[in-house]
Amino acid sequence: MADITVPQGLWDVSTTPEGVVANWFYDDGATVASGVTVAELMVEKSTFDIAAPGSGRLRIVVPKDGTVTPGTVIGRIDAA
C-alpha cells in the first residue's frame, strides 16, 4: 500500500494554510498506473496535479471539495 499525500512545500502555508481537492480523475476502486495524475488540488487560484506513487487500486480518503493541508493523506494505492 502506498499513501497519496499532499506534498510539503507545494505552496506558502503562511499565506494560505489550506487547499482543496478540486478533482479526482479516477473513481474510488479504479486501477491506476504509477505516475498517472489521479487528483488535482486547488490553492487560491493555482492548481497542482497529484500523481499516483505506485500501481494498484485507488482508495480515496479525502473526497472532492475536501480541505487539505501539506502532509495530508488524500488517498491510497492498494496492490492490485
Side-chain angles (χ1 to χ4, degrees), residues 8-30:
Q8 300 284 343
L10 201 56
W11 69 88
D12 184 2
V13 294
S14 66
T15 58
T16 308
E18 298 176 330
V20 173
V21 177
N23 198 16
W24 282 99
F25 297 113
Y26 295 88
D27 293 327
D28 189 59

Side-chain angles (χ1 to χ4, degrees), residues 13-68:
V13 294
S14 66
T15 58
T16 308
E18 298 176 330
V20 173
V21 177
N23 198 16
W24 282 99
F25 297 113
Y26 295 88
D27 293 327
D28 189 59
T31 300
V32 297
S34 179
V36 301
T37 300
V38 293
E40 180 180 53
L41 299 180
M42 182 175 287
V43 181
E44 294 270 311
K45 294 180 182 179
S46 299
T47 58
F48 302 96
D49 291 341
I50 304 297
S55 297
R57 190 167 309 277
L58 173 65
R59 295 291 174 215
I60 295 173
V61 175
V62 177
K64 182 179 181 207
D65 298 325
T67 303
V68 296

